[in-house]
Amino acid sequence: MFSSLIQDFETELRRELPPALESLLCVPDVQPLQYELFERHRVQVDVLRCDDLHPMISGNKWFKLKFNLVQARRLGMTRIASFGGAWSNHLHALAFCAQQAGLESIGFVRGEELGADANPMLRDAASWGMSLQFLARQVYRERKVTVDAQTWLVPEGGDNEQGVLGCMTLIPAQRALDYDAVLLPAGTGCTALGVRLSLPAGTALWVAPVLRDDTLQRSWRARLQQWSAQPAGPVDWWTDCHHGGYGKVPPGLLSFIHDFGHNTGLALDPVYGGKAMWGLCERIRHHAIPAGSRVLFVHTGGLQGARGFQSMSRQLSG
Ligand SMILES: *Cc1c(COP(=O)(O)O)cnc(C)c1O
């Protein structure tokens, strides 16, 4: 399904990719996780290290952006623009990729009171040449912006057709067969959509939304049907993982992430990956995951933002 579309995108991408982005073409590593809880309940948990592909670009964001870079080129555009909050991993990655690909970039940032020096994420983006435009929340919500004909406009989070197609390449096809289930956190659900479309029907997908949003599940399922007439494999929504909403990081969650990192050596971000892993551990503890299960956890990255996550969670919750 969609394989020739993807093939064409990949070929063009490889032809034009600048050296600073080459490591992103590598297949992410898979590593087993050693954790007392997993061993006690005999659940195998491996981690797909999408966070490890590039020092600057957060895990899944590359997969959503890569075909957008190609698409902008295909259409002869010279600029790429998108939307995000002040701590957006997406705008951060976009700024870097665009600069490397020789495209200009515009970031529409939620919050008219902010400036380019509001935090290290925005400072990075500005230093990579992104033109930042700060929008009042109402304007942002309604996406009331205009761009010229030379600008490829990407939705918030990279959630468009090219983003979904890119996420279909996130899990190497042969790899998926080794697992009963794949687990990942969701913001827009774009990554989860691409992953579900690429997984064999026998592999379950567990999605942990980090937003408190009851509408995501329904719209996601409708989109899945638009993409594919065939019934997809099972999808399980873990709606108990958000801890109060986007960017909310209560102390219990922080200490879980700290303890998990200390015991396994795997650092997780508190906005996405930490919440999904928390959901997995809760389920294992409550015997909701059968012994003998083989689980692949997708590390979607996010740690370039963690350098300031205490101030970030304060601002996000405000
Ligand atoms: C953006 C992001 C996600 C969410 O991806 P969606 O495709 O929007 O669901 C998950 N994890 C991290 C670290 C992210 O930066």
Side-chain angles (χ1 to χ4, degrees), residues 58 60-61 64 89 157 185-192 269 272 300-302:
S58 165
N60 64 335
K61 294 300 180 276
K64 298 199 273 185
N89 293 331
T188 63
C190 177
T191 308
D269 84 295
Y272 293 102
T300 46

Tab-separated table of all heavy atoms in Angstrom, residues 58 60-61 64 89 157 185-192 269 272 300-302, ligand 1:
chain	number	residue	atom	x	y	z
A	58	SER	N	14.327	15.884	16.799
A	58	SER	CA	13.587	15.000	17.685
A	58	SER	C	12.944	13.857	16.915
A	58	SER	O	12.188	14.073	15.981
A	58	SER	CB	12.518	15.820	18.391
A	58	SER	OG	11.567	14.974	18.988
A	60	ASN	N	10.431	11.403	16.032
A	60	ASN	CA	9.442	11.211	14.979
A	60	ASN	C	9.302	12.424	14.071
A	60	ASN	O	8.719	12.319	12.988
A	60	ASN	CB	8.091	10.853	15.603
A	60	ASN	CG	7.529	11.967	16.466
A	60	ASN	OD1	8.261	12.801	16.990
A	60	ASN	ND2	6.227	11.988	16.605
A	61	LYS	N	9.809	13.588	14.515
A	61	LYS	CA	9.571	14.792	13.709
A	61	LYS	C	10.206	14.687	12.318
A	61	LYS	O	9.661	15.177	11.347
A	61	LYS	CB	10.095	16.046	14.420
A	61	LYS	CG	9.335	16.359	15.693
A	61	LYS	CD	7.867	16.602	15.425
A	61	LYS	CE	7.078	16.927	16.674
A	61	LYS	NZ	6.632	15.749	17.437
A	64	LYS	N	7.954	12.957	9.881
A	64	LYS	CA	6.831	13.765	9.398
A	64	LYS	C	7.296	14.852	8.433
A	64	LYS	O	6.533	15.316	7.594
A	64	LYS	CB	6.097	14.393	10.590
A	64	LYS	CG	5.521	13.310	11.509
A	64	LYS	CD	4.435	13.846	12.413
A	64	LYS	CE	4.954	14.424	13.692
A	64	LYS	NZ	3.829	14.815	14.572
A	89	ASN	N	8.622	20.903	19.392
A	89	ASN	CA	9.686	20.087	18.809
A	89	ASN	C	9.628	20.149	17.291
A	89	ASN	O	10.639	20.028	16.603
A	89	ASN	CB	9.539	18.620	19.237
A	89	ASN	CG	9.770	18.425	20.730
A	89	ASN	OD1	10.512	19.176	21.348
A	89	ASN	ND2	9.126	17.415	21.307
A	157	GLY	N	2.449	20.322	13.909
A	157	GLY	CA	2.883	18.951	14.172
A	157	GLY	C	3.284	18.166	12.930
A	157	GLY	O	3.569	16.979	13.016
A	185	PRO	N	3.424	7.400	22.079
A	185	PRO	CA	2.607	8.523	22.542
A	185	PRO	C	2.036	9.252	21.332
A	185	PRO	O	2.585	9.155	20.234
A	185	PRO	CB	3.621	9.415	23.266
A	185	PRO	CG	4.921	9.135	22.586
A	185	PRO	CD	4.869	7.707	22.121
A	186	ALA	N	0.921	9.978	21.534
A	186	ALA	CA	0.327	10.712	20.421
A	186	ALA	C	-0.021	12.141	20.803
A	186	ALA	O	-0.542	12.403	21.895
A	186	ALA	CB	-0.929	10.004	19.925
A	187	GLY	N	0.300	13.060	19.891
A	187	GLY	CA	-0.147	14.442	20.005
A	187	GLY	C	-1.251	14.642	18.976
A	187	GLY	O	-2.438	14.547	19.272
A	188	THR	N	-0.859	14.864	17.729
A	188	THR	CA	-1.848	14.944	16.650
A	188	THR	C	-2.349	13.568	16.239
A	188	THR	O	-3.408	13.449	15.635
A	188	THR	CB	-1.236	15.598	15.398
A	188	THR	OG1	-0.170	14.771	14.916
A	188	THR	CG2	-0.689	16.983	15.698
A	189	GLY	N	-1.560	12.528	16.499
A	189	GLY	CA	-1.918	11.177	16.059
A	189	GLY	C	-1.395	10.849	14.669
A	189	GLY	O	-1.627	9.751	14.149
A	190	CYS	N	-0.667	11.778	14.067
A	190	CYS	CA	-0.122	11.574	12.722
A	190	CYS	C	0.853	10.399	12.702
A	190	CYS	O	0.785	9.528	11.826
A	190	CYS	CB	0.574	12.857	12.267
A	190	CYS	SG	1.389	12.750	10.662
A	191	THR	N	1.743	10.362	13.675
A	191	THR	CA	2.721	9.271	13.735
A	191	THR	C	2.006	7.932	13.888
A	191	THR	O	2.314	6.961	13.190
A	191	THR	CB	3.688	9.486	14.915
A	191	THR	OG1	4.234	10.808	14.818
A	191	THR	CG2	4.821	8.483	14.897
A	192	ALA	N	1.030	7.902	14.793
A	192	ALA	CA	0.282	6.671	15.029
A	192	ALA	C	-0.444	6.211	13.763
A	192	ALA	O	-0.530	5.013	13.479
A	192	ALA	CB	-0.718	6.875	16.169
A	269	ASP	N	11.264	11.851	27.784
A	269	ASP	CA	10.780	13.214	27.983
A	269	ASP	C	9.439	13.167	28.709
A	269	ASP	O	8.691	12.195	28.596
A	269	ASP	CB	10.647	13.943	26.635
A	269	ASP	CG	9.327	13.639	25.975
A	269	ASP	OD1	9.103	12.467	25.607
A	269	ASP	OD2	8.477	14.535	25.866
A	272	TYR	N	5.792	13.490	26.321
A	272	TYR	CA	5.303	12.411	25.449
A	272	TYR	C	5.720	11.015	25.941
A	272	TYR	O	4.924	10.259	26.489
A	272	TYR	CB	5.816	12.623	24.018
A	272	TYR	CG	5.258	13.830	23.317
A	272	TYR	CD1	5.995	15.001	23.190
A	272	TYR	CD2	3.985	13.795	22.743
A	272	TYR	CE1	5.488	16.113	22.520
A	272	TYR	CE2	3.478	14.894	22.079
A	272	TYR	CZ	4.227	16.049	21.969
A	272	TYR	OH	3.713	17.128	21.314
A	300	THR	N	10.044	8.492	20.699
A	300	THR	CA	9.828	9.539	19.700
A	300	THR	C	10.708	10.766	19.938
A	300	THR	O	10.592	11.743	19.207
A	300	THR	CB	8.340	9.957	19.701
A	300	THR	OG1	7.919	10.135	21.059
A	300	THR	CG2	7.477	8.889	19.060
A	301	GLY	N	11.552	10.726	20.967
A	301	GLY	CA	12.491	11.834	21.173
A	301	GLY	C	11.967	12.864	22.159
A	301	GLY	O	11.388	12.513	23.177
A	302	GLY	N	12.189	14.120	21.848
A	302	GLY	CA	11.673	15.187	22.691
A	302	GLY	C	12.653	15.673	23.741
A	302	GLY	O	12.334	16.567	24.522
B	1	LIG	C1	5.510	15.603	18.373
B	1	LIG	C2	5.860	14.486	19.260
B	1	LIG	C3	5.004	13.372	19.419
B	1	LIG	C4	3.615	13.318	18.832
B	1	LIG	O1	3.560	12.972	17.481
B	1	LIG	P1	2.163	13.058	16.713
B	1	LIG	O2	2.496	12.584	15.352
B	1	LIG	O3	1.742	14.509	16.701
B	1	LIG	O4	1.175	12.226	17.405
B	1	LIG	C5	5.436	12.340	20.219
B	1	LIG	N1	6.636	12.386	20.852
B	1	LIG	C6	7.463	13.432	20.732
B	1	LIG	C7	8.740	13.434	21.478
B	1	LIG	C8	7.111	14.512	19.931
B	1	LIG	O5	7.940	15.562	19.840
